[in-house]
């Protein structure tokens, strides 16, 4: 991954002070095993060229994605191209320029515009060349898109799909970098970190002065914040003079919260709900909420990840200080291994779990659940692949660890196949804001054991 910054004109050498990087020194930093380098290839009174390289450590990336002892680890090749991860690694090196906080004697140069050229790549993006032009040209840049050469013995294709982007225009260093730090993750198809209120604030801060006037503003927010329930919060606050959303407003609730609310709604309407198994409980967010539901006497939070379980324990410990909370029992376990303790529970939950498992392994898991554990009720939620059109996702999944995402018909057929012996009655539902053509963003099925 690399970013090259070129600038020309009178007093252009002041850029070294805006970057807080001495042109006589090679900048090299190790950030948690990932190497960030910078050097000036040109530095004269009228021309400056500086390049930043990022060399990630794939092993460290894998460890960071799931912690050292987890069995949920994976490596994604997008970590080796310009992406949100690239921006994360560079943020410290470019912090002075991004924040516009050089030494006091150079502060006036923060708002000074130079003829800049920014080059970055390789880029792996599902956006078309036209969509990329539509992102940068309204900002006044001339855009060049180049494809890398590929030497394939089988002559499968003449050019690499990786692209290298060059934008040129008159701008300040701070503006140019802030625009890149918003738009580079837009070009990429996913963000590697959790998207929350802090991420909204970062986009608002870096987008100040240009994003509100961009003709593709909504598209940028959709891609930068990924989920409509998050980016629509920006619209809500903008329309209300910057007023932060109150919980009482019940507007633009995050999709994850809507899932939990719908699951709890179904549980509250069950005749038997004393014992609950939350499979793939993660950091314990759903189990934590279940702890406040009346009528429940046992919650088993089953999770294979040690790091996630530790976070869940901290969450439960905090909630346990409140009145009326039922402390969940954490179990380090997996859907792939039978556990006698999970038999004959009133409710078993798989909330956004099955899509993280290879499809060919699902039949065995469902056989274990329905034939061995015999839960009174089974609740399954999973993404609705059709709804990705609403998120303007051309191809790919909502999370890089998803092994598949099903259409409504595929999910309906699959659930019925698991119930071939007819022991359960199936109820299908949707979660989130319904689209006229694509349905709900999350699809859900409730398996209810028939009384004999």
């Amino acid at each position: 991954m690399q970013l090259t910054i070129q600038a020309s004109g009178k007093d252009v050498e002041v850029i070294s002070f805006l970057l807080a990087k001495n042109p006589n020194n090679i900048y090299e930093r190790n950030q948690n095993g990932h190497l960030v380098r910078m050097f000036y290839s040109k530095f004269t009174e009228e021309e400056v060229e500086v390049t930043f390289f990022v060399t990630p450590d794939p092993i460290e990336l894998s460890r960071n994605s799931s912690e050292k002892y987890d069995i949920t680890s994976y490596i994604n090749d997008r970590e080796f191209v310009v992406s949100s991860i690239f921006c994360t690694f560079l943020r410290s090196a470019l912090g002075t320029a991004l924040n516009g906080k050089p030494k006091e004697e150079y502060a006036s140069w923060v708002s000074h515009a130079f003829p800049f050229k920014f080059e970055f790549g390789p880029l792996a993006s599902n956006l078309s060349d036209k969509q990329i032009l539509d992102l940068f040209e309204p900002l006044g840049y001339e855009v060049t898109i180049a494809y890398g050469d590929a030497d394939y013995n089988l002559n499968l294709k003449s050019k690499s799909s990786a692209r290298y982007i060059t934008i040129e225009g008159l701008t300040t260093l701070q503006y140019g970098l802030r625009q890149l730090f918003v738009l580079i993750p837009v070009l990429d198809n996913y963000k590697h970190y959790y998207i929350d209120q802090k991420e909204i604030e970062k986009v608002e801060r870096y987008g100040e002065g240009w994003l509100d006037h961009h003709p593709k503003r909504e598209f940028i927010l959709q891609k930068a914040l990924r989920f409509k329930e998050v980016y629509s919060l920006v619209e809500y606050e903008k329309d209300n003079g910057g007023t932060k959303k109150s919980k009482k407003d019940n507007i633009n609730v995050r999709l994850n919260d809507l899932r939990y609310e719908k699951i709890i709604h179904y549980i509250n309407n069950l005749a038997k709900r004393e014992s609950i198994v939350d499979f793939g409980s993660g950091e314990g967010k759903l189990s934590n909420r279940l702890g406040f539901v009346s009528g429940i006497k046992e919650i088993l939070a089953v999770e294979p990840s040690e790091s996630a379980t530790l976070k869940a324990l901290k969450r439960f410990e905090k909630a346990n200080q409140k009145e009326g909370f039922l402390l969940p029992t954490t179990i380090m376990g997996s859907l792939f291994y039978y556990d006698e303790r999970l038999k004959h529970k009133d409710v078993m939950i798989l909330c956004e779990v099955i899509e993280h498992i290879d499809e060919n392994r699902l039949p065995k898991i469902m056989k274990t659940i329905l034939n061995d554990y015999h839960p009174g009720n089974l609740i399954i939620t999973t993404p609705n692949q059709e709804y990705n059109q609403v998120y303007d996702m051309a191809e790919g999944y909502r999370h890089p660890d998803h092994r598949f995402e099903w259409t409504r018909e595929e999910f309906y057929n699959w659930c019925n196949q698991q119930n071939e012996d007819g022991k359960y009655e199936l109820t299908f539902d949707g979660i989130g804001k319904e689209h006229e053509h694509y349905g709900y963003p999350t699809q859900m099925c409730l398996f209810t054991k028939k009384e004999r």
Side-chain angles (χ1 to χ4, degrees), residues 64 89 97 110 119 143 155 191 230 262 319 401 406 413 433:
N64 286 343
F89 293 156
V110 172
E119 297 177 328
V143 185
N155 295 319
K191 285 194 172 182
V230 180
K262 180 60 73 75
D401 191 41
W406 285 331
N413 292 336
K433 185 176 180 180

Side-chain angles (χ1 to χ4, degrees), residues 282-415:
E283 297 177 7
K285 294 179 181 178
L286 174 57
S287 292
N288 195 71
R289 296 194 184 200
L290 291 169
F292 292 100
V293 176
S294 62
I296 299 178
K297 297 181 179 179
E298 179 188 41
I299 302 171
L300 302 180
V302 184
E303 169 61 38
S305 166
E306 182 185 52
S307 61
T309 300
L310 291 173
K311 292 178 181 178
L313 287 170
K314 291 181 180 178
R315 176 173 277 108
F316 299 156
E317 182 181 352
K318 184 177 180 180
N320 200 34
Q321 300 172 8
K322 299 179 182 179
E323 186 177 351
F325 180 71
L326 174 66
L327 184 67
T329 299
T330 58
I331 295 177
M332 292 286 291
S334 167
L335 285 164
F336 301 113
Y337 303 103
Y338 177 76
D339 190 329
E340 184 76 19
R341 294 171 291 179
L342 308 182
K343 289 183 64 175
H344 304 302
K345 302 303 180 183
D346 293 327
V347 184
M348 193 165 277
I349 303 168
L350 299 178
C351 178
E352 306 299 289
V353 170
I354 61 172
E355 64 273 10
H356 293 269
I357 301 169
D358 293 328
E359 284 189 68
N360 64 334
R361 306 184 76 180
L362 289 178
K364 181 179 179 181
I365 288 171
M366 291 300 294
K367 182 178 180 181
T368 299
I369 291 174
L370 298 178
N371 296 344
D372 297 331
Y373 290 146
H374 298 289
N377 299 272
L378 171 65
I379 298 175
I380 299 177
T381 75
T382 192
N384 169 18
Q385 186 270 335
E386 297 165 78
Y387 202 88
N388 291 352
Q389 296 293 324
V390 181
Y391 296 138
D392 288 325
M393 297 174 63
E395 296 180 0
Y397 302 142
R398 297 185 199 175
H399 190 282
D401 191 41
H402 286 184
R403 305 302 197 260
F404 63 88
E405 288 177 5
W406 285 331
T407 65
R408 287 167 289 177
E409 182 179 2
E410 288 171 331
F411 182 58
Y412 177 86
N413 292 336
W414 179 81
C415 289

